Amino acid sequence: MTTEPEANAAECRRWNDPYWTSAWLRRERVTDVVTELVLEQLALEEGERVLEVGSGGGRLSMAAAGLVAPGGAVVGVDISKRLVEVARARADDAQLGNVTFVVADAQTDPIAGAPFDAAASQFGVMFFDEPVAAFANVAQHLEIGGRIVFACWQRMEHNPWCVGPVLAPYLPPGPKPAPGKSPTGPFSLFDPPQVIELLSSAGWGDVERTAYEMTEVVGRDAIFDDGQLGFAGVADADMADALGAVDRHLARFGPPDGDLAIPIAFQIFTARRR
């Protein structure tokens, strides 16, 4: 008897790893650059109900909660238990009573609070191993005509801050996706025609894309820290060489003991549920 592969199993392990969740909170300094742009495209109104997909530390959901008050509410969902805990603590500290964070997989799970008027995500939708099914599930949680706005990265070559290609020679080949699954990762939605096609297949229409390129100044640990080598799977014998390769790669953006000025290229998609 064949068992169906578990949904997003590898991503669930990664986003619940103690190292990765702690590192992600430092990387918010990069991802938060899109928050205002996403909210601008979303054009929220008082009283609306909003779903955030991949809510992470909760900053976008909290900003949205302020825009839909009074009367509106926001639900943020994430597969990371630790990041949901962080988001809940932040919302409590800010005394926001109209935002809720839940541990759930937006690819497969029912989410309480539907139907929503809008859905949003900042760099949280690239990690679905069945993206059509995932975007279809999100659509089912929105009113007919409800809108989605999400940010994702452009191709890796346009984001030279990424150290993945530098580490590749020191890593074993990654596993191939199981039958019926798609590759996941930060650059899985880099191709606009592919994204438009999958959104259409998932029940979305009126798809539009806007591309952005800018330079951001961030701390080095928002991009890379030494713990990333072991987490990625670099062998102990290769640690020094791998670290040297990363240092040389990042040197173009700033000193090893200071901030980095990194060029980033991302895109924002908007669509409506048909």
Side-chain angles (χ1 to χ4, degrees):
M1 181 177 178
T2 303
T3 302
E4 289 292 326
E6 182 182 349
N8 295 314
E11 294 296 344
C12 188
R13 288 193 298 272
R14 182 158 71 105
W15 289 98
N16 282 284
D17 182 274
Y19 162 76
W20 187 249
T21 53
S22 64
W24 177 253
L25 295 175
R26 296 189 292 274
R27 290 180 173 85
E28 286 181 329
R29 284 170 278 175
V30 178
T31 58
D32 282 354
V33 71
V34 307
T35 301
E36 290 188 10
L37 294 169
V38 169
L39 291 174
E40 180 181 329
Q41 295 269 18
L42 205 56
L44 295 173
E45 298 180 359
E46 291 182 4
E48 289 193 306
R49 298 187 60 80
V50 185
L51 169 66
E52 185 188 0
V53 178
S55 50
R59 294 189 189 277
L60 175 60
S61 285
M62 292 171 62
L67 295 174
V68 298
V74 180
V75 177
V77 301
D78 203 288
I79 59 174
S80 172
K81 295 178 181 178
R82 169 58 180 152
L83 290 179
V84 167
E85 291 172 354
V86 169
R88 288 171 176 168
R90 285 175 170 174
D92 287 344
D93 288 343
Q95 298 183 331
L96 289 173
N98 66 331
V99 59
T100 304
F101 295 99
V102 297
V103 179
D105 186 345
Q107 177 169 303
T108 57
D109 292 340
I111 300 164
F116 297 94
D117 300 292
S121 182
Q122 55 181 37
F123 304 113
V125 294
M126 302 92 69
F127 305 100
F128 296 126
D129 61 14
E130 294 183 30
V132 173
F135 279 103
N137 188 49
V138 173
Q140 291 302 309
H141 284 80
L142 265 64
E143 300 273 9
I144 300 296
R147 61 205 187 277
I148 187 171
V149 178
F150 64 87
C152 59
W153 295 112
Q154 295 186 43
R155 64 177 63 248
M156 187 186 298
E157 292 81 358
H158 295 169
N159 288 282
W161 51 266
C162 179
V163 300
V166 179
L167 293 180
Y170 303 98
L171 301 175
K176 293 183 178 180
K181 300 292 187 179
S182 297
T184 61
F187 301 101
S188 65
L189 298 181
F190 76 88
D191 184 44
Q194 177 195 29
V195 175
I196 292 170
E197 180 179 354
L198 79 84
L199 287 172
S200 179
S201 299
W204 299 91
D206 300 329
V207 183
E208 296 185 7
R209 169 197 181 253
T210 307
Y212 296 87
E213 295 185 9
M214 59 184 65
T215 298
E216 284 296 310
V217 177
V218 298
R220 178 186 173 91
D221 64 355
I223 301 299
F224 174 81
D225 63 73
D226 293 355
Q228 191 170 336
L229 297 178
F231 181 77
V234 176
D236 289 345
D238 294 328
M239 284 287 185
D241 287 346
L243 181 57
V246 170
D247 286 342
R248 291 189 294 274
H249 176 75
L250 294 180
R252 74 183 85 172
F253 307 122
D257 57 350
D259 290 342
L260 305 180
I262 57 168
I264 61 174
F266 59 93
Q267 50 199 342
I268 293 181
F269 286 90
T270 65
R272 289 191 177 272
R273 181 189 173 186
R274 292 198 299 267

